[in-house]
Every structure is written in structure tokens, then in C-alpha cells.
Amino acid sequence: MAVPKRKTGRAKTNSRRSSHSLEATASSLCSQCHEPKVPHRVCPTCGFYNGKEIIETN
């Protein structure tokens, strides 16, 4: 089994972990019902995408 030759310092550990942060997902408003939705996806509330009804919703 491989064994590290030297201890990883706090600066190196923190530098590596600096890219582990989570970002909030992007959102936009639906042009049909004005509810928040994921960009470039069919609106789950009204079923519209790009001004056309893609899926039927109740």
C-alpha cells in the first residue's frame, strides 16, 4: 500500500477544497406563467417551452 511521504499542509488542503463549494442553480421566469423554472427546460407548472405547449398539465 502506498504511503504519503509527507503530511499535506493546511494551506494545500484548503486550496484543494476551495473548489468544492456548491453554487445555487440558475433559474429564470417562465414567459407563460411567470413561475421560476430551470433555463432551457419545459416549465413544470404550465408545460410550455419557447411559447409552445410541450406537455399537458392539469
PDB file of all heavy atoms in Angstrom, residues 9-29:
ATOM      1  N   GLY A   9      -0.148  19.858   4.104  1.00  0.00           N
ATOM      2  CA  GLY A   9      -0.335  21.038   4.942  1.00  0.00           C
ATOM      3  C   GLY A   9      -1.738  21.600   4.853  1.00  0.00           C
ATOM      4  O   GLY A   9      -2.516  21.275   3.947  1.00  0.00           O
ATOM      5  N   ARG A  10      -2.087  22.444   5.814  1.00  0.00           N
ATOM      6  CA  ARG A  10      -3.414  23.053   5.838  1.00  0.00           C
ATOM      7  C   ARG A  10      -3.646  23.921   4.613  1.00  0.00           C
ATOM      8  O   ARG A  10      -4.751  23.950   4.053  1.00  0.00           O
ATOM      9  CB  ARG A  10      -3.598  23.887   7.103  1.00  0.00           C
ATOM     10  CG  ARG A  10      -3.963  23.064   8.321  1.00  0.00           C
ATOM     11  CD  ARG A  10      -4.116  23.933   9.512  1.00  0.00           C
ATOM     12  NE  ARG A  10      -2.760  24.287   9.975  1.00  0.00           N
ATOM     13  CZ  ARG A  10      -2.467  25.212  10.858  1.00  0.00           C
ATOM     14  NH1 ARG A  10      -3.434  25.916  11.391  1.00  0.00           N
ATOM     15  NH2 ARG A  10      -1.237  25.447  11.227  1.00  0.00           N
ATOM     16  N   ALA A  11      -2.604  24.642   4.179  1.00  0.00           N
ATOM     17  CA  ALA A  11      -2.760  25.516   3.015  1.00  0.00           C
ATOM     18  C   ALA A  11      -3.075  24.695   1.767  1.00  0.00           C
ATOM     19  O   ALA A  11      -3.934  25.063   0.963  1.00  0.00           O
ATOM     20  CB  ALA A  11      -1.506  26.353   2.809  1.00  0.00           C
ATOM     21  N   LYS A  12      -2.375  23.588   1.590  1.00  0.00           N
ATOM     22  CA  LYS A  12      -2.617  22.729   0.423  1.00  0.00           C
ATOM     23  C   LYS A  12      -4.007  22.109   0.491  1.00  0.00           C
ATOM     24  O   LYS A  12      -4.739  22.053  -0.517  1.00  0.00           O
ATOM     25  CB  LYS A  12      -1.545  21.641   0.374  1.00  0.00           C
ATOM     26  CG  LYS A  12      -1.676  20.690  -0.785  1.00  0.00           C
ATOM     27  CD  LYS A  12      -1.349  21.372  -2.090  1.00  0.00           C
ATOM     28  CE  LYS A  12      -1.391  20.373  -3.234  1.00  0.00           C
ATOM     29  NZ  LYS A  12      -1.227  21.026  -4.508  1.00  0.00           N
ATOM     30  N   THR A  13      -4.404  21.661   1.678  1.00  0.00           N
ATOM     31  CA  THR A  13      -5.739  21.072   1.853  1.00  0.00           C
ATOM     32  C   THR A  13      -6.818  22.108   1.574  1.00  0.00           C
ATOM     33  O   THR A  13      -7.785  21.848   0.849  1.00  0.00           O
ATOM     34  CB  THR A  13      -5.890  20.528   3.282  1.00  0.00           C
ATOM     35  OG1 THR A  13      -4.871  19.551   3.498  1.00  0.00           O
ATOM     36  CG2 THR A  13      -7.253  19.899   3.494  1.00  0.00           C
ATOM     37  N   ASN A  14      -6.670  23.301   2.139  1.00  0.00           N
ATOM     38  CA  ASN A  14      -7.674  24.346   1.943  1.00  0.00           C
ATOM     39  C   ASN A  14      -7.708  24.815   0.488  1.00  0.00           C
ATOM     40  O   ASN A  14      -8.781  25.124  -0.029  1.00  0.00           O
ATOM     41  CB  ASN A  14      -7.408  25.519   2.880  1.00  0.00           C
ATOM     42  CG  ASN A  14      -7.659  25.151   4.325  1.00  0.00           C
ATOM     43  OD1 ASN A  14      -8.378  24.198   4.614  1.00  0.00           O
ATOM     44  ND2 ASN A  14      -7.054  25.884   5.242  1.00  0.00           N
ATOM     45  N   SER A  15      -6.563  24.862  -0.168  1.00  0.00           N
ATOM     46  CA  SER A  15      -6.519  25.253  -1.567  1.00  0.00           C
ATOM     47  C   SER A  15      -7.255  24.237  -2.429  1.00  0.00           C
ATOM     48  O   SER A  15      -8.008  24.594  -3.344  1.00  0.00           O
ATOM     49  CB  SER A  15      -5.074  25.384  -2.016  1.00  0.00           C
ATOM     50  OG  SER A  15      -4.999  25.640  -3.397  1.00  0.00           O
ATOM     51  N   ARG A  16      -7.077  22.953  -2.144  1.00  0.00           N
ATOM     52  CA  ARG A  16      -7.761  21.901  -2.892  1.00  0.00           C
ATOM     53  C   ARG A  16      -9.269  21.973  -2.652  1.00  0.00           C
ATOM     54  O   ARG A  16     -10.068  21.811  -3.570  1.00  0.00           O
ATOM     55  CB  ARG A  16      -7.220  20.536  -2.466  1.00  0.00           C
ATOM     56  CG  ARG A  16      -7.818  19.370  -3.259  1.00  0.00           C
ATOM     57  CD  ARG A  16      -7.295  18.041  -2.772  1.00  0.00           C
ATOM     58  NE  ARG A  16      -7.754  17.715  -1.462  1.00  0.00           N
ATOM     59  CZ  ARG A  16      -6.980  17.557  -0.393  1.00  0.00           C
ATOM     60  NH1 ARG A  16      -5.676  17.697  -0.496  1.00  0.00           N
ATOM     61  NH2 ARG A  16      -7.486  17.254   0.775  1.00  0.00           N
ATOM     62  N   ARG A  17      -9.662  22.239  -1.421  1.00  0.00           N
ATOM     63  CA  ARG A  17     -11.086  22.257  -1.080  1.00  0.00           C
ATOM     64  C   ARG A  17     -11.785  23.552  -1.503  1.00  0.00           C
ATOM     65  O   ARG A  17     -13.009  23.631  -1.396  1.00  0.00           O
ATOM     66  CB  ARG A  17     -11.247  22.059   0.428  1.00  0.00           C
ATOM     67  CG  ARG A  17     -10.894  20.665   0.876  1.00  0.00           C
ATOM     68  CD  ARG A  17     -11.041  20.512   2.362  1.00  0.00           C
ATOM     69  NE  ARG A  17     -10.687  19.164   2.779  1.00  0.00           N
ATOM     70  CZ  ARG A  17     -10.558  18.797   4.041  1.00  0.00           C
ATOM     71  NH1 ARG A  17     -10.753  19.663   5.010  1.00  0.00           N
ATOM     72  NH2 ARG A  17     -10.238  17.549   4.324  1.00  0.00           N
ATOM     73  N   SER A  18     -11.056  24.540  -1.961  1.00  0.00           N
ATOM     74  CA  SER A  18     -11.686  25.806  -2.332  1.00  0.00           C
ATOM     75  C   SER A  18     -12.612  25.640  -3.533  1.00  0.00           C
ATOM     76  O   SER A  18     -13.516  26.438  -3.735  1.00  0.00           O
ATOM     77  CB  SER A  18     -10.626  26.861  -2.633  1.00  0.00           C
ATOM     78  OG  SER A  18      -9.920  26.519  -3.798  1.00  0.00           O
ATOM     79  N   SER A  19     -12.405  24.598  -4.329  1.00  0.00           N
ATOM     80  CA  SER A  19     -13.268  24.372  -5.492  1.00  0.00           C
ATOM     81  C   SER A  19     -14.432  23.453  -5.171  1.00  0.00           C
ATOM     82  O   SER A  19     -15.198  23.098  -6.058  1.00  0.00           O
ATOM     83  CB  SER A  19     -12.451  23.789  -6.639  1.00  0.00           C
ATOM     84  OG  SER A  19     -11.954  22.523  -6.277  1.00  0.00           O
ATOM     85  N   HIS A  20     -14.592  23.040  -3.917  1.00  0.00           N
ATOM     86  CA  HIS A  20     -15.667  22.119  -3.545  1.00  0.00           C
ATOM     87  C   HIS A  20     -16.957  22.834  -3.176  1.00  0.00           C
ATOM     88  O   HIS A  20     -17.921  22.168  -2.820  1.00  0.00           O
ATOM     89  CB  HIS A  20     -15.237  21.255  -2.348  1.00  0.00           C
ATOM     90  CG  HIS A  20     -14.136  20.299  -2.699  1.00  0.00           C
ATOM     91  ND1 HIS A  20     -13.615  19.425  -1.792  1.00  0.00           N
ATOM     92  CD2 HIS A  20     -13.443  20.086  -3.838  1.00  0.00           C
ATOM     93  CE1 HIS A  20     -12.657  18.708  -2.351  1.00  0.00           C
ATOM     94  NE2 HIS A  20     -12.533  19.099  -3.590  1.00  0.00           N
ATOM     95  N   SER A  21     -16.987  24.155  -3.266  1.00  0.00           N
ATOM     96  CA  SER A  21     -18.176  24.875  -2.841  1.00  0.00           C
ATOM     97  C   SER A  21     -19.332  24.635  -3.811  1.00  0.00           C
ATOM     98  O   SER A  21     -19.130  24.394  -4.996  1.00  0.00           O
ATOM     99  CB  SER A  21     -17.894  26.365  -2.747  1.00  0.00           C
ATOM    100  OG  SER A  21     -17.565  26.864  -4.019  1.00  0.00           O
ATOM    101  N   LEU A  22     -20.540  24.691  -3.308  1.00  0.00           N
ATOM    102  CA  LEU A  22     -21.729  24.491  -4.115  1.00  0.00           C
ATOM    103  C   LEU A  22     -22.277  25.835  -4.555  1.00  0.00           C
ATOM    104  O   LEU A  22     -22.211  26.809  -3.820  1.00  0.00           O
ATOM    105  CB  LEU A  22     -22.796  23.750  -3.309  1.00  0.00           C
ATOM    106  CG  LEU A  22     -22.414  22.356  -2.845  1.00  0.00           C
ATOM    107  CD1 LEU A  22     -23.510  21.784  -1.966  1.00  0.00           C
ATOM    108  CD2 LEU A  22     -22.168  21.451  -4.027  1.00  0.00           C
ATOM    109  N   GLU A  23     -22.798  25.866  -5.751  1.00  0.00           N
ATOM    110  CA  GLU A  23     -23.404  27.083  -6.269  1.00  0.00           C
ATOM    111  C   GLU A  23     -24.892  26.860  -6.445  1.00  0.00           C
ATOM    112  O   GLU A  23     -25.336  25.742  -6.724  1.00  0.00           O
ATOM    113  CB  GLU A  23     -22.782  27.458  -7.613  1.00  0.00           C
ATOM    114  CG  GLU A  23     -21.317  27.823  -7.523  1.00  0.00           C
ATOM    115  CD  GLU A  23     -20.728  28.195  -8.866  1.00  0.00           C
ATOM    116  OE1 GLU A  23     -21.497  28.305  -9.846  1.00  0.00           O
ATOM    117  OE2 GLU A  23     -19.510  28.376  -8.937  1.00  0.00           O
ATOM    118  N   ALA A  24     -25.634  27.926  -6.291  1.00  0.00           N
ATOM    119  CA  ALA A  24     -27.078  27.833  -6.491  1.00  0.00           C
ATOM    120  C   ALA A  24     -27.365  27.589  -7.968  1.00  0.00           C
ATOM    121  O   ALA A  24     -26.661  28.101  -8.848  1.00  0.00           O
ATOM    122  CB  ALA A  24     -27.754  29.115  -6.040  1.00  0.00           C
ATOM    123  N   THR A  25     -28.380  26.786  -8.232  1.00  0.00           N
ATOM    124  CA  THR A  25     -28.724  26.508  -9.623  1.00  0.00           C
ATOM    125  C   THR A  25     -29.347  27.748 -10.255  1.00  0.00           C
ATOM    126  O   THR A  25     -30.004  28.541  -9.587  1.00  0.00           O
ATOM    127  CB  THR A  25     -29.715  25.340  -9.717  1.00  0.00           C
ATOM    128  OG1 THR A  25     -30.868  25.652  -8.954  1.00  0.00           O
ATOM    129  CG2 THR A  25     -29.093  24.060  -9.206  1.00  0.00           C
ATOM    130  N   ALA A  26     -29.115  27.888 -11.535  1.00  0.00           N
ATOM    131  CA  ALA A  26     -29.669  29.036 -12.260  1.00  0.00           C
ATOM    132  C   ALA A  26     -31.177  28.874 -12.392  1.00  0.00           C
ATOM    133  O   ALA A  26     -31.686  27.752 -12.451  1.00  0.00           O
ATOM    134  CB  ALA A  26     -29.023  29.130 -13.637  1.00  0.00           C
ATOM    135  N   SER A  27     -31.865  29.985 -12.405  1.00  0.00           N
ATOM    136  CA  SER A  27     -33.308  29.927 -12.598  1.00  0.00           C
ATOM    137  C   SER A  27     -33.743  31.117 -13.433  1.00  0.00           C
ATOM    138  O   SER A  27     -33.078  32.144 -13.476  1.00  0.00           O
ATOM    139  CB  SER A  27     -34.044  29.914 -11.263  1.00  0.00           C
ATOM    140  OG  SER A  27     -33.865  31.143 -10.613  1.00  0.00           O
ATOM    141  N   SER A  28     -34.834  30.948 -14.120  1.00  0.00           N
ATOM    142  CA  SER A  28     -35.411  32.032 -14.901  1.00  0.00           C
ATOM    143  C   SER A  28     -36.919  31.969 -14.729  1.00  0.00           C
ATOM    144  O   SER A  28     -37.450  31.017 -14.162  1.00  0.00           O
ATOM    145  CB  SER A  28     -35.034  31.905 -16.375  1.00  0.00           C
ATOM    146  OG  SER A  28     -35.571  30.715 -16.907  1.00  0.00           O
ATOM    147  N   LEU A  29     -37.592  32.996 -15.198  1.00  0.00           N
ATOM    148  CA  LEU A  29     -39.038  33.031 -15.085  1.00  0.00           C
ATOM    149  C   LEU A  29     -39.671  32.533 -16.384  1.00  0.00           C
ATOM    150  O   LEU A  29     -39.213  32.873 -17.471  1.00  0.00           O
ATOM    151  CB  LEU A  29     -39.518  34.454 -14.782  1.00  0.00           C
ATOM    152  CG  LEU A  29     -39.112  35.027 -13.431  1.00  0.00           C
ATOM    153  CD1 LEU A  29     -39.622  36.445 -13.293  1.00  0.00           C
ATOM    154  CD2 LEU A  29     -39.631  34.170 -12.299  1.00  0.00           C
TER     155      LEU A  29
END
